[in-house]
Amino acid sequence: MAAFIQKLFKSRKTTEATPNQRKATQPEPVEQEDTRTDRREEQLKTLESAPSQDVLAKLAIEGVTADIRQSAAGRLTDEASLQDVQKQAKGRDKGVYQIVKLALQQRREEQARLDSISQTIATLTRHAQDQAKSDDTKLYGARLDALLKQWTEVETHASPEQAQAFLEAVHLCKERIAALQSAAEDEKRQREQKLQRQETLDLLTRTLDELKSQPPETLPSLASLDALQKTQENRWLEATRDTAVEKQEQKAYENAMLALRNYLSSVRRITQERETIVELGALLERADDATDEQRAQAKTLVAEINWPEDYPIPALLEPLRKLAGKRKKPAEPRVDQEQQKALTTRLEAEIRQLEEALEAKQLKESKQLFKTAQQHFRDLDQRHAKPYQARMQLLTGQLRELSDWQGFATEPKQIALCEQMEYLAEQPMDPEAKAERIKELQNEWRDLGGSSDRSLWSRFKAASDKAYEPCKAYFSAKSGLKQANLEKRSAICQQLESFLDNADWSSIDWKAAERIHQTARQEWKEAWPVEFRDNRGVQKRFDELLKRLEAPLDEERRKNEGLKQTIVDKAQALVEHEPLQEAMNQAKALQGDWQAIGITRHREDRKLWQAFRKACDQIFARRDAERSEQQQASRAADETAQAGLNQVSGISPESDEQAVTAALATLKDIDAATLSKGVREQVQQEKQRLSKILSALRLQAKMASWQSLVMAATAGQSGSESAPQHWAALAETSDASDPVELVIRAEILCGVPSPEADQQRRMEIQVQRLANGMGSADNSTDQMQDVEKLLAAWCLGGTGKNADTELAERLNRAIANLNEA
C-alpha cells in the first residue's frame, strides 16, 4: 500500500530536459572506425562481466551493434528496466523492441498464471471452510477428497498462512466426518445394546418361569444358576454402558435379577447345609427325641435359606420346615409404637433419597444413604419391617450393581484414554488441532473423576506431556507471528495517517483514494492473528483513520450519486421524446457522461444504473418497435411486389407491345421505397428488362413501317400521309437524288456490305464523307437521324421513284440490320 500511496502523490509535472538530453537530440558526429571498434570491444567485455540491470538497459539502447543491443535486452529481467527500454526502443530498434516486448508479455502471462493459482487456492480454502460449516452431509467424504486432490496441484504455491487456513478447514471437515462415523457407530451400538438387553430380560423371565414349574423332587444345578447370573449381569452392564435406559426397562431387569439372586442364594445355602438338613429332617420321624436346640437350629436354617414364596419348595427342605414349625413361637416383647412409626417415616424418606441417588448413579451418596437406611431398618420390629424387606433387598442389589458398574466401567475408559493419548503423541498433526484434542482427552479424564490407581494416572500424565511437546514450539512461533502482524498493522496506520495528512482533497484522484481505503482494509484483515489485548489501541487508531478517510469519500460518492440521478432524470425524460433519432443520440451522450462520473456507493450506484438502463432500454425499444413495423411493412410490400413479379415473369420478346406496356404499368405502381433491398433490385431489373423489350418492339414496328414506305415509294405511291411528319422537313434538306448513292450511304450507316459492283463507288462516298468530316457510321452522333433523312429523300423527295425493286430491297435490308443492331 505504501508504494500505491507514493505513486498517487508522484509529481505530474514534466521534468525539464537535462543538458545531456538536449544534447542527445542533436545529430551525433560520425565516429571513426577505430573508435567504434574500441567501443564495441568495451561493450562486449561489459556484457561478459555480469553487468547490473541498469547497465544492460543502457547497452540495449546504446549498444554499438545490433547483436550487443539484442543480447543485453535478452538478459534484462527487471520489469521497470524492460518497460524503459521498450519505450526508448520503439521506432528506433525493432529487434530490441520485440525482445523486451516478448519478455514483458511472458512476465504478464506468468503473473496471470500465478494470480490464477492464488485465486484457486483462495477458492479451495473457501470451499473447505464452507464445507466445514455445511449441514449437507451427503457425499461429505467424497467432496472433501475432491478438494484435497485439487489442493495437491496448487499446494506448492500456497503461502504458510494459506496452507494453515486450508489445513484447519480440512481438519474441521475430518472431525466432522469422524463425528458422523462416530454417530453412526454409536447408533449401531445402541441398537445392538437394546437387543442384548431385551434378550437378557427374555432369558431371565424364561428362567424364572422354568424355576416356578420345577418339580419339588429336583433341585436345580447350583453351577448353572451361578453361571447364568454372572453372565447376564455382565451382559446387562455391557448393554447399558454409555447409553440411556428406560426406567421401566431397568426396573424389570432389577426385579428379575433380584428374584434370581434370591433363588440362587437359597439353593446355595441348601447345597452347603445339605447334610445338616438331612440329619435334622430325620428327627421328624422321632420328634420326641428332638431337643429345643435342634428345633432352633432347624428354624435358623429355614430362615437363612429363606426360600422364595412363589417357587415350589424342594422335597429336601419340607421335613426341616415341619420340624422348625412344631413349637409355637414365643410372644414378642412389647415395643413402643410411636417410636416405630417415627422410624418408619424416617426410613421411607431415606429410601426415596436412596432411590434417587441410585438412579443418578451417585455411588458415594448412595453408600452413605444405604448405610443409614439399613440401620433404621434393623431398628424396626418384625411387623413394621416386613413391608420394607423386599425394597431393602432390591436396593441392596441396585447398590451392588452400581458399585460393580463404577469399577467395571471407569477403569477401561481410563485405560482407553491413556491409549488414545499415547497414540496422539505419535501422530504428526496441526499443532492447534493437536492441542485442542489433548484438552478434550484431559477433560474426559477429569469427568471420570480421576483414578485411585497412581500408575494409571502417571501413564496418562506422561502421554499428555509427550503429546504437547511439539505444540510448544508452534505456539511460541505463533506468538512471534502475532507480534509481526501487530507491527504490520501499526505500519498500515502510519501509512494511512501520512496519506491523510498530505492529501489535497480538492485535486485528489478519488478512485485511487478509494483503492487505498480498500487496500488498507484488506491488508489489515490479512495481518492476523494478533494478540487481542495488544491490538486494542492499534485497532482504535485504525478505526479513527478509516473514519477520516471515509468522510470525504462518502461526500464525493453522494455528490456523484446526485450527478448520476440527474442523468437518470434526463434519460427518463427522453423516453417519450420526439424525434426518436434525437432521443437516441442524447441517450448515447448520457451514457458517455455516466462513464465520466467518479466513485459512488456500490448499492446506490446499482439502483441508479438499473433505473438509467431501464430508461435507455425503453428509448431503444421504440427504435426496435419502429424497425419492427418497417420490417412488417417491408414484408407486406415484398409479398405484393413478388406477386407482381410473378405476374410479369411470362413477358418475353415475343409478347405484344400491349402486354409489355401493361406489365410495365404494373411494376411502376409498386412503391419501391417500402421494399427490401433484394426485392427492390429484382423489381428494377425486371423494369429494365421490360423497357428493353418494349423499345425493341416499338423499333421493330417502326422499321416495318419504314420498309413499307420504301416499297410503296418504289412502286410510285405517295407515302406523305403515312410517313412521319418531320420527314417532310428532312426531305427538303436532303441532297440525295441518286437512288444508288442513297442506298450505298444507307448501307454504310447501317453497317451492311454493298455488292461487288458498287464497291468502287462506296469507297468514293466514304472518302468524301471523311473529307466532309462526317467520319464512319460508327462515329456518327445521330445515326438514326441520318438514316431517316435518307428514307425521307427516298419516300418524299422522289428519289425512290427512279429506283428499281432490287435497290428498294437493299435499302430495306440495311434498315433491318439497323433494327438488329
Side-chain angles (χ1 to χ4, degrees):
M1 191 181 73
F4 191 79
I5 295 175
Q6 184 178 4
K7 182 179 179 182
L8 179 64
F9 285 105
K10 185 173 67 175
S11 174
R12 299 177 183 176
K13 296 182 179 179
T14 305
T15 342
E16 184 180 357
T18 60
N20 290 335
Q21 291 173 334
R22 291 196 297 268
K23 186 184 293 183
T25 60
Q26 301 174 359
E28 296 181 0
V30 179
E31 293 187 57
Q32 297 296 329
E33 186 63 30
D34 293 342
T35 305
R36 180 180 177 85
T37 303
D38 293 340
R39 287 187 59 200
R40 177 176 177 277
E41 294 297 331
E42 181 181 355
Q43 290 177 356
L44 287 173
K45 290 181 181 178
T46 304
L47 278 176
E48 294 173 357
S49 61
S52 64
Q53 291 292 300
D54 293 339
V55 174
L56 288 172
K58 186 176 181 180
L59 288 174
I61 298 301
E62 301 176 0
V64 176
T65 64
D67 291 340
I68 293 176
R69 294 193 298 273
Q70 293 177 9
S71 176
R75 292 167 61 179
L76 284 172
T77 57
D78 181 60
E79 185 172 1
S81 299
L82 285 168
Q83 290 176 348
D84 184 58
V85 170
Q86 183 186 27
K87 186 185 298 182
Q88 296 187 51
K90 186 175 182 180
R92 293 177 55 188
D93 193 328
K94 185 176 181 181
V96 171
Y97 179 80
Q98 292 295 335
I99 289 173
V100 296
K101 179 181 179 182
L102 179 60
L104 286 170
Q105 179 65 25
Q106 290 174 348
R107 288 178 64 87
R108 284 193 290 269
E109 291 175 354
E110 177 64 18
Q111 186 61 42
R113 187 182 71 84
L114 294 177
D115 291 343
S116 175
I117 292 174
S118 179
Q119 182 64 32
T120 302
I121 291 172
T123 302
L124 290 176
T125 303
R126 186 174 65 256
H127 287 175
Q129 292 171 345
D130 292 343
Q131 182 161 348
K133 302 173 184 177
S134 174
D135 295 330
D136 182 12
T137 57
K138 188 177 181 180
L139 300 176
Y140 197 90
R143 296 203 305 269
L144 179 60
D145 292 340
L147 286 175
L148 289 172
K149 184 177 180 181
Q150 297 176 40
W151 176 258
T152 55
E153 299 175 358
V154 298
E155 184 177 7
T156 55
H157 299 279
S159 65
E161 294 80 6
Q162 291 173 328
Q164 179 180 347
F166 179 80
L167 293 177
E168 286 177 354
V170 169
H171 176 68
L172 293 176
C173 291
K174 289 183 177 179
E175 284 188 342
R176 185 81 175 277
I177 291 174
L180 292 174
Q181 292 176 348
S182 176
E185 292 174 357
D186 187 64
E187 184 179 357
K188 180 180 178 182
R189 176 181 59 80
Q190 290 186 8
R191 287 197 304 269
E192 181 65 25
Q193 286 179 322
K194 185 174 182 180
L195 178 62
Q196 292 295 326
R197 293 196 302 272
Q198 187 61 44
E199 290 180 354
T200 298
L201 290 174
D202 292 344
L203 179 59
L204 290 175
T205 303
R206 190 167 57 253
T207 300
L208 293 174
D209 291 341
E210 291 175 355
L211 292 176
K212 288 179 181 179
S213 61
Q214 185 81 15
E217 295 80 10
T218 306
L219 194 65
S221 171
L222 177 62
S224 298
L225 290 176
D226 185 62
L228 177 65
Q229 179 208 355
K230 291 180 179 178
T231 55
Q232 295 312 305
E233 283 182 340
N234 291 334
R235 186 180 186 182
W236 185 264
L237 285 174
E238 288 295 332
T240 56
R241 179 183 298 178
D242 297 332
T243 188
V245 182
E246 295 182 1
K247 187 180 294 186
Q248 184 178 359
E249 187 179 14
Q250 181 69 24
K251 203 77 171 178
Y253 166 75
E254 291 172 352
N255 291 334
M257 184 56 70
L258 178 61
L260 179 61
R261 288 199 192 101
N262 293 338
Y263 189 92
L264 179 60
S265 177
S266 299
V267 172
R268 182 180 291 110
R269 189 62 180 169
I270 291 174
T271 304
Q272 293 173 352
E273 301 294 340
R274 178 180 288 274
E275 294 181 0
T276 305
I277 293 172
V278 171
E279 292 177 0
L280 292 175
L283 296 176
L284 188 62
E285 298 178 358
R286 50 183 192 281
D288 295 338
D289 297 335
T291 63
D292 292 339
E293 184 179 354
Q294 290 172 332
R295 293 180 184 277
Q297 185 180 3
K299 185 177 180 179
T300 302
L301 276 175
V302 170
E304 290 177 352
I305 292 171
N306 192 21
W307 187 259
E309 296 179 358
D310 297 335
Y311 297 88
I313 301 175
L316 181 63
L317 194 59
E318 192 63 32
L320 185 64
R321 289 169 59 86
K322 291 180 180 180
L323 180 62
K326 276 290 184 179
R327 296 285 179 90
K328 293 183 179 181
K329 296 181 180 178
E332 294 182 356
R334 296 181 61 85
V335 294
D336 187 351
Q337 296 298 322
E338 294 296 330
Q339 183 181 6
Q340 290 294 311
K341 288 181 180 181
L343 287 173
T344 301
T345 303
R346 186 183 303 176
L347 179 62
E348 182 69 30
E350 291 169 348
I351 287 176
R352 282 198 303 269
Q353 295 177 6
L354 177 58
E355 288 174 342
E356 293 174 358
L358 288 171
E359 186 175 352
K361 306 296 184 183
Q362 297 174 346
L363 180 60
K364 185 176 180 181
E365 292 80 353
S366 297
K367 286 182 177 180
Q368 186 175 356
L369 288 170
F370 180 78
K371 185 177 180 181
T372 304
Q374 193 176 40
Q375 182 64 42
H376 292 158
F377 176 73
R378 291 188 182 128
D379 293 340
L380 293 175
D381 59 14
Q382 187 175 2
R383 185 172 69 86
H384 290 87
K386 188 174 182 180
Y388 296 100
Q389 183 174 2
R391 291 179 68 183
M392 290 300 296
Q393 290 178 348
L394 179 61
L395 293 172
T396 302
Q398 291 177 350
L399 180 62
R400 183 166 62 250
E401 285 185 1
L402 179 60
S403 179
D404 293 342
W405 180 83
Q406 284 282 53
F408 184 80
T410 305
E411 184 175 356
K413 286 186 177 181
Q414 290 175 337
I415 294 174
L417 288 176
C418 289
E419 293 173 351
Q420 292 180 41
M421 187 66 79
E422 290 167 350
Y423 175 77
L424 183 65
E426 302 297 332
Q427 298 305 307
M429 289 177 59
D430 177 70
E432 290 193 358
K434 195 170 190 178
E436 185 66 25
R437 182 57 181 157
I438 292 172
K439 186 177 180 181
E440 291 175 0
L441 293 176
Q442 290 174 341
N443 289 336
E444 290 181 23
W445 179 277
R446 195 176 297 110
D447 292 340
L448 291 176
S451 175
S452 58
D453 188 349
R454 298 301 299 174
S455 61
L456 198 60
W457 162 246
S458 299
R459 177 185 175 186
F460 183 77
K461 181 68 168 57
S464 300
D465 293 342
K466 183 178 179 182
Y468 190 74
E469 190 65 32
C471 300
K472 291 181 180 178
Y474 169 78
F475 286 111
S476 175
K478 187 175 181 180
S479 177
L481 177 62
K482 289 181 178 180
Q483 183 61 34
N485 287 332
L486 188 64
E487 294 174 358
K488 185 176 180 181
R489 289 188 169 189
S490 299
I492 293 173
C493 291
Q494 291 176 1
Q495 294 167 12
L496 266 181
E497 189 171 15
S498 174
F499 166 71
L500 291 170
D501 292 342
N502 294 280
D504 182 4
W505 298 108
S506 61
S507 61
I508 197 167
D509 183 349
W510 291 103
K511 290 186 178 180
E514 188 176 47
R515 286 197 296 273
I516 289 174
H517 178 268
Q518 295 171 353
T519 304
R521 291 173 61 88
Q522 182 63 29
E523 291 184 0
W524 183 274
K525 184 178 179 181
E526 291 173 354
W528 184 88
V530 293
E531 193 63 42
F532 178 74
R533 294 182 179 177
D534 297 339
N535 184 57
R536 286 178 181 172
V538 184
Q539 183 71 52
K540 183 177 180 181
R541 180 186 178 190
F542 180 71
D543 294 340
E544 292 174 351
L545 291 170
L546 279 187
K547 288 180 181 178
R548 285 180 58 191
L549 178 56
E550 287 169 354
L553 287 175
D554 288 342
E555 183 179 353
E556 179 68 15
R557 290 186 183 116
R558 290 189 177 89
K559 184 190 77 173
N560 292 333
E561 288 164 10
L563 295 175
K564 288 193 174 183
Q565 182 62 53
T566 303
I567 292 177
V568 171
D569 296 338
K570 291 180 180 178
Q572 290 174 344
L574 291 173
V575 172
E576 303 297 335
H577 183 78
E578 292 293 347
L580 176 59
Q581 186 60 45
E582 182 178 333
M584 289 193 297
N585 292 337
Q586 292 184 23
K588 292 177 182 178
L590 289 177
Q591 290 176 354
D593 296 341
W594 182 282
Q595 297 296 331
I597 295 176
I599 62 173
T600 54
R601 290 174 294 179
H602 177 73
R603 182 176 297 178
E604 297 300 323
D605 185 80
R606 189 66 181 167
K607 292 179 182 177
L608 291 169
W609 170 251
Q610 289 175 352
F612 179 59
R613 181 63 181 271
K614 181 179 178 181
C616 290
D617 290 345
Q618 290 175 345
I619 294 170
F620 290 101
R622 290 174 56 199
R623 178 197 61 185
D624 296 338
E626 289 187 2
R627 285 182 177 177
S628 179
E629 292 177 1
Q630 293 174 358
Q631 289 174 356
Q632 291 178 0
S634 179
R635 283 195 293 269
D638 287 351
E639 292 176 0
T640 304
Q642 197 64 50
L645 289 172
N646 294 335
Q647 182 179 349
V648 303
S649 62
I651 300 298
S652 65
E654 287 75 20
S655 303
D656 58 16
E657 182 178 349
Q658 185 178 359
V660 176
T661 303
L664 271 172
T666 301
L667 294 182
K668 288 179 180 178
D669 291 339
I670 297 175
D671 185 7
T674 58
L675 296 177
S676 64
K677 182 180 179 181
V679 177
R680 185 166 57 249
E681 290 177 353
Q682 291 181 24
V683 172
Q684 188 65 28
Q685 291 172 2
E686 191 65 15
K687 284 182 179 180
Q688 293 174 358
R689 185 181 74 85
L690 293 177
S691 296
K692 288 181 180 179
I693 293 175
L694 182 59
S695 298
L697 289 175
R698 288 177 176 175
L699 180 61
Q700 186 178 358
K702 184 187 292 186
M703 293 300 107
S705 174
W706 289 355
Q707 287 175 344
S708 298
L709 290 173
V710 169
M711 295 306 294
T714 305
Q717 300 176 5
S718 175
S720 59
E721 295 179 358
S722 57
Q725 294 180 0
H726 66 281
W727 275 19
L730 292 176
E732 292 178 0
T733 60
S734 176
D735 57 352
S737 59
D738 184 8
V740 175
E741 182 179 351
L742 186 147
V743 171
I744 292 173
R745 287 184 179 183
E747 288 174 341
I748 291 172
L749 287 172
C750 296
V752 175
S754 302
E756 186 67 30
D758 293 334
Q759 287 295 324
Q760 181 64 32
R761 192 168 182 180
R762 177 169 177 155
M763 184 69 70
E764 292 174 358
I765 293 171
Q766 286 180 337
V767 171
Q768 185 181 358
R769 283 172 59 84
L770 289 172
N772 293 334
M774 299 178 66
S776 63
D778 296 336
N779 296 328
S780 175
T781 59
D782 195 351
Q783 181 185 12
M784 185 63 70
Q785 184 177 359
D786 290 345
V787 171
E788 283 191 276
K789 184 183 288 188
L790 293 174
L791 291 174
W794 180 278
C795 296
L796 302 181
T799 306
K801 293 181 179 181
N802 300 324
D804 56 15
T805 305
E806 182 180 356
L807 285 175
E809 291 176 353
R810 284 176 60 185
L811 180 57
N812 282 340
R813 282 197 297 272
I815 295 172
N817 188 69
L818 178 65
N819 184 28
E820 293 176 1

